[in-house]
Amino acid sequence: MTGSPAARRGGVVLAGGRSVRMGTAKAALEWHGSTFLRRTVGIVGRAVDGPVVVVRASGQRLPDLPLGTLVVDDPREDKGPVQGMAAGLTVLLGRAESAFVASTDLPFLHPAFVTTVLRALDGPAGPDVVLPVARGYQQPLAAGYRTGLGELAARLVEQDRLRPAFLFEACAVLRLDEAALRADPVLAALDPDLDSLLNVNTPADYAAARARPAPAVAVRLVGAGGPPDPPGGPRLVPAATIQEAADAVRLPVGRAVTAALNGAMVTDAATPLVPGDAVSFLVAGPRG
């Protein structure tokens, strides 16, 4: 009997950093009714067909995560992101061919960005790493990696060669500048400013992120049990999660409600939303 084939794409979210400049762990920071870590894991999960791994510091307490998220500990403290990559990619080896590796502090990450990066890894003759170069910097913690690189990353950590640049020197890297990223029409339409790469390192960054509104999403109420949509069609509301979307349209109390995101059924009210999303709530009649 053969095992199930590996998924094409997975994810790794690094949550174990010391957050020295922030002064507190970033994973649990609140943003529009969710946490940075819950949101980042959920966004990556929306764009991949395989598992998402969270790499944490040993003993680190994590906020709630989506069902099915894998959690692994960094084997040693203060070894930086390459060790986290090694741990996460090793877990995914045999479960996915490639992975989007993200830091935990990307509240504006869009699934279209993840898809654009990982698509550039497709095919046996593709690169080992797809590295965005945008906003003036290389972006190794919003990049795509072959899962087979876990062994190389672990070896570099053993040699105390801890910077991502050492990893890039040892493999084939495709760099995508801003023009190359925006060449994807879906990404250009949904994240034209590449806000996916806006990370949050300081209290000032966090204050600025919290000051930004939740994404504008289209919401429809379907079924006899709910109020009709306005004449102009779906309502456009600010909402960062399915729950916020439900609250924004004041779903009737005591009714059975089923939610769909972009046509696919969802059961987790904490599912993150992004610009361009369409949410439908099927509202049944009153419970008898």
Side-chain angles (χ1 to χ4, degrees), residues 8 97-98 118-129 146 172:
R8 288 175 61 188
E97 297 172 4
S98 63
L118 289 181
R119 188 184 295 123
L121 277 171
D122 286 350
D128 299 312
V129 176
R146 299 276 184 187

Side-chain angles (χ1 to χ4, degrees), residues 54-131:
V54 170
V55 184
R56 66 177 180 177
S58 181
Q60 178 185 1
R61 295 186 65 182
L62 299 177
D64 290 341
L65 294 169
L67 186 66
T69 304
L70 305 177
V71 178
V72 62
D73 288 356
D74 266 331
R76 291 181 292 179
E77 293 184 4
D78 300 331
K79 289 295 183 179
V82 173
Q83 177 174 256
M85 293 179 198
L89 293 174
T90 298
V91 169
L92 286 178
L93 188 62
R95 302 182 184 189
E97 297 172 4
S98 63
F100 187 84
V101 175
S103 56
T104 191
D105 58 342
L106 298 173
F108 309 109
L109 183 64
H110 200 290
F113 185 90
V114 179
T115 298
T116 297
V117 169
L118 289 181
R119 188 184 295 123
L121 277 171
D122 286 350
D128 299 312
V129 176
V130 173
L131 178 64

Side-chain angles (χ1 to χ4, degrees), residues 125-258:
D128 299 312
V129 176
V130 173
L131 178 64
V133 183
R135 294 185 169 268
Y137 299 97
Q138 296 189 141
Q139 304 286 344
L141 299 186
Y145 298 81
R146 299 276 184 187
T147 55
L149 291 174
E151 182 179 352
L152 172 60
R155 190 161 62 246
L156 291 172
V157 172
E158 290 293 333
Q159 298 167 358
D160 275 331
R161 304 177 71 198
L162 303 178
R163 292 187 294 114
F166 291 123
L167 180 65
F168 302 150
E169 289 174 0
C171 59
V173 179
L174 172 63
R175 288 172 170 82
L176 297 182
D177 62 14
E178 294 187 12
L181 290 164
R182 293 193 183 98
D184 183 291
V186 176
L187 180 59
L190 296 175
D191 187 13
D193 297 323
L194 300 179
D195 286 347
S196 288
L197 296 171
L198 278 175
N199 60 358
V200 178
N201 290 314
T202 67
D205 293 341
Y206 181 43
R210 294 194 73 187
R212 293 180 59 153
V217 300
V219 179
R220 293 194 63 190
L221 299 180
V222 183
D229 287 329
R235 310 167 194 212
L236 200 63
V237 303
T241 64
I242 292 288
Q243 184 63 60
E244 277 200 333
D247 294 343
V249 297
R250 299 180 180 178
L251 287 182
V253 176
R255 307 283 176 85
V257 176
T258 304

Side-chain angles (χ1 to χ4, degrees), residues 34-60:
S34 188
T35 64
F36 274 9
L37 182 59
R38 174 64 180 81
R39 180 169 179 81
T40 302
V41 171
I43 293 297
V44 173
R46 284 183 51 180
V48 301
D49 60 347
V52 179
V53 180
V54 170
V55 184
R56 66 177 180 177
S58 181
Q60 178 185 1

